[in-house]
Amino acid sequence: MRTSSVIFTFLFLLFGTPFAFAQNPEISILTNDGAYVEGLGLCFNVRLVNPSPQETSVDVLIDPSSTCTLGEDFTLSPTTVVFPPNTDGNMSVCVFSNLDGIVEPVEYLTLTLANPTNNATLGDNTLTYTFYDRDSITNNAPCQQVFISEYLHSLVNGGSRALEIYNPTLSPVDLSSYNFRIYTNGNTEPDTSIYLSGSLDPGEVYVLASPISVQEVLDVADQISELLIYSGDDAVGLYQGDQLVDIVGIIGEDPGVSWPAGMRNTSSAALTRDSIIRQGEQDWHISAAHWTGYNQNNYSHLGSHFMLPCDSSGNIPPTITIITSDAERPEEMTTYAFAIALYNPADTETTVEIKLGSNTTATLGADFTYQTGPIVFPANTTSTQYVSVNFLDDTIEEQDELIELILHSPNNSANLVDSVWRITILANDAQVSSQNPAQDSGLNLFPNPVRAGEWLSVQTSDPTIRYHRISNLSGSWQHQFSTTDWSTQSGTLQVRIPDAIPPGMYVLYSMDAAIPARKIIVE
């Protein structure tokens, strides 16, 4: 005891305070649980504090309670997060939800951090994603009942609110039996009921608006009500009498901030019903995907609505639509595919042709090829077909080039929706300045030139993007940067150039289509 007292006294005199022992590293998931429509790429952050002098890693495991299937419903990268020595901060893990063309129920994915190294402790270590299907459309009674055609929730310019309904029938509809009911904060009983009035002609809309809305909204309003108050997490139902006709959100559930709606959500957005929707839906898990979202200050769609019509008997023909967004891809990627979906299948197979659009600047046969011939959908089957576009990587110095493909000439009187798809080929052979090969905005690389084994700083317009790849100009060699050779320092992403890379010109590009490839010199 006397010896210990002497040692403690010596340490106190030497340092002025008792000796402090290092804390173990701590790893946590920073991102909250969330609900989304399938087909999105989602990244979440894993944070390390109290870094170790050694490399620290943690595994990302799929919880057995998950109803999503790896490879079929989603992909996950990386499955092990590695923090460099003496480095704290955030690392990204990305989940890519597949748009599979299969009608399926709501699915859940729970991810868990496990097996940390260096005696690291785990904080919040689970995350659950809820995925709503994008392939379900209710068509048991099309064009027989009014439905909600636009939903506006805005937090700018005073906070506009508006609900629009559309009459898809062939006769005028008496609105006196209809009412909107608002369920706030997860309540199971409505807090507010707003009754409508007047008559709605076929193919026309009726707009209910809040009096504090901007003038552009008030100019198209058929009814103004001070009772129209809701937030993005409140359910709004359209009723005929006491019968629910259509709904935005889920009665009895509080999502926290908003529900997913198309590629946006119900908070701070203008949502319009897709043209292939011909009736209301009581299950938001199905109808959440049937909206196109716009900025919350976009009021241009209020006051009118376009729906693909039913025939005189109330039947609907097949609908064919491109469901892949326009894209930009590097020339060396070689192959890219876009998806075409069929809804409301016929009793016989449905076909559609593809042709080049007039805006195409790439040369067929020299810059690219694509799948020709009719696209065939089986009879009585809602399905998705994929069309491949092949890039021909050359050594010709040229500008970025556009491919435009257009659907045409369907059979079975099928309707075409979103029938044009464009992809830009990012050239990899254009001359660049040796002083600044990454001079274009959106992706800045420095130092450039860089030496093998050195760290390269990557500044992008979207700092959350973490997946970059480097390849030679021919595309015959490539290197995907993993968690062991990138880090974040002072908010700037850094990637480590491979040690064995020969000197020369290379291409670095992001996995995100919005950021173009940039050339880099390795000395």
Side-chain angles (χ1 to χ4, degrees):
M1 292 294 294
R2 185 173 181 177
T3 302
S4 299
S5 177
V6 171
I7 293 174
F8 183 85
T9 302
F10 172 76
L11 292 174
F12 182 82
L13 292 174
L14 181 63
F15 295 104
T17 58
F19 186 76
F21 294 95
Q23 293 179 300
N24 289 339
E26 182 177 342
I27 305 174
S28 302
I29 293 177
L30 298 184
T31 308
N32 294 326
D33 296 347
Y36 304 90
V37 172
E38 69 175 7
L40 294 177
L42 306 166
C43 296
F44 63 91
N45 288 324
V46 179
R47 171 174 288 180
L48 172 72
V49 296
N50 307 322
S52 167
Q54 291 81 38
E55 180 180 89
T56 302
S57 66
V58 66
D59 293 333
V60 183
L61 305 181
I62 301 168
D63 192 273
S65 65
S66 301
T67 58
C68 291
T69 302
L70 180 64
E72 295 180 7
D73 298 310
F74 73 98
T75 57
L76 174 67
S77 179
T79 55
T80 298
V81 178
V82 180
F83 294 90
N86 299 309
T87 302
D88 60 5
N90 302 334
M91 294 289 190
S92 291
V93 177
C94 292
V95 175
F96 298 92
S97 171
N98 297 333
L99 184 59
D100 51 23
I102 301 172
V103 176
E104 54 201 345
V106 178
E107 295 182 306
Y108 301 93
L109 170 63
T110 298
L111 301 173
T112 304
L113 301 183
N115 308 320
T117 61
N118 288 335
N119 295 316
T121 60
L122 295 177
D124 295 332
N125 67 326
T126 62
L127 173 67
T128 298
Y129 287 130
T130 302
F131 291 111
Y132 294 172
D133 186 42
R134 275 190 75 183
D135 307 295
S136 302
I137 294 180
T138 302
N139 275 322
N140 56 357
C143 301
Q144 297 181 27
Q145 176 67 280
V146 299
F147 60 85
I148 302 173
S149 52
E150 181 156 355
Y151 165 99
L152 173 65
H153 176 268
S154 176
L155 297 178
V156 299
N157 300 326
S160 298
R161 304 288 189 277
L163 300 168
E164 177 190 274
I165 60 175
Y166 176 75
N167 180 9
T169 74
L170 300 178
S171 303
V173 172
D174 181 4
L175 296 179
S176 61
S177 63
Y178 290 86
N179 63 93
F180 278 106
R181 301 181 187 182
I182 301 173
Y183 300 79
T184 62
N185 302 323
N187 289 342
T188 56
E189 297 295 329
D191 299 88
T192 304
S193 297
I194 305 173
Y195 292 87
L196 307 182
S197 62
S199 177
L200 183 58
D201 290 334
E204 297 297 326
V205 299
Y206 185 94
V207 178
L208 172 68
S210 165
I212 64 172
S213 300
V214 297
Q215 193 60 45
E216 294 99 313
V217 174
L218 298 177
D219 286 344
V220 297
D222 297 283
Q223 181 177 337
I224 297 174
S225 174
E226 295 180 350
L227 299 177
L228 191 63
I229 302 173
Y230 54 84
S231 298
D233 61 345
D234 299 332
V236 179
L238 174 64
Y239 287 78
Q240 184 178 25
D242 291 325
Q243 178 64 45
L244 179 62
V245 173
D246 200 4
I247 195 166
V248 173
I250 302 172
I251 297 173
E253 180 177 313
D254 187 347
V257 177
S258 62
W259 282 281
M263 295 302 178
R264 299 181 71 98
N265 57 60
T266 54
S267 179
S268 306
L271 307 173
T272 62
R273 211 64 170 266
D274 292 343
S275 60
I276 61 175
I277 305 303
R278 299 172 175 87
Q279 68 181 89
E281 172 58 61
Q282 300 178 24
D283 187 350
W284 183 250
H285 295 120
I286 294 175
S287 59
H290 302 159
W291 300 82
T292 298
Y294 301 92
N295 291 335
Q296 59 183 320
N297 58 350
N298 185 334
Y299 318 112
S300 60
H301 301 276
L302 269 176
S304 64
H305 180 68
F306 172 71
M307 181 197 76
L308 292 171
C310 298
D311 62 23
S312 59
S313 301
N315 299 317
I316 52 178
T319 297
I320 303 173
T321 180
I322 296 174
I323 57 177
T324 302
S325 301
D326 292 350
E328 292 181 345
R329 289 296 183 270
E331 182 177 305
E332 66 271 18
M333 179 166 276
T334 306
T335 301
Y336 193 80
F338 67 98
I340 306 172
L342 172 74
Y343 300 102
N344 314 316
D347 293 333
T348 58
E349 70 178 21
T350 301
T351 64
V352 66
E353 302 282 348
I354 303 179
K355 66 180 179 181
L356 285 179
S358 59
N359 293 315
T360 299
T361 58
T363 303
L364 180 63
D367 297 312
F368 73 100
T369 61
Y370 71 98
Q371 179 181 335
T372 59
I375 306 301
V376 180
F377 298 91
N380 299 309
T381 302
T382 297
S383 62
T384 301
Q385 303 292 337
Y386 293 86
V387 176
S388 296
V389 178
N390 302 305
F391 301 161
L392 304 180
D393 193 8
D394 54 34
T395 58
I396 301 172
E397 298 174 3
E398 54 195 345
Q399 301 299 315
D400 296 346
E401 295 175 306
L402 176 69
I403 303 171
E404 181 181 68
L405 297 174
I406 301 175
L407 304 183
H408 70 104
S409 305
N411 70 342
N412 289 333
S413 301
N415 293 308
L416 295 179
V417 181
D418 294 332
S419 58
V420 179
W421 183 73
R422 300 178 180 91
I423 185 167
T424 300
I425 305 175
L426 301 173
N428 62 7
D429 304 296
Q431 288 288 332
V432 296
S433 166
S434 60
Q435 295 181 346
N436 186 12
Q439 58 189 345
D440 292 341
S441 61
L443 182 60
N444 294 315
L445 311 175
F446 57 94
N448 193 6
V450 65
R451 296 181 183 275
E454 289 186 347
W455 289 87
L456 175 72
S457 295
V458 181
Q459 289 186 336
T460 73
S461 57
D462 184 353
T464 65
I465 300 302
R466 292 290 181 267
Y467 289 92
H468 293 77
R469 178 165 68 90
I470 189 172
S471 71
N472 58 9
L473 296 184
S474 68
S476 60
W477 174 89
Q478 64 182 23
H479 172 75
Q480 174 71 50
F481 293 103
S482 66
T483 54
T484 61
D485 53 18
W486 62 257
S487 66
T488 302
Q489 299 288 341
S490 302
T492 299
L493 174 69
Q494 292 186 322
V495 295
R496 187 175 181 275
I497 302 301
D499 291 316
I501 187 172
M505 182 81 75
Y506 293 84
V507 178
L508 185 142
Y509 66 90
S510 166
M511 297 295 285
D512 183 86
I515 302 176
R518 292 292 176 259
K519 293 187 178 178
I520 184 170
I521 297 173
V522 176
E523 294 183 333

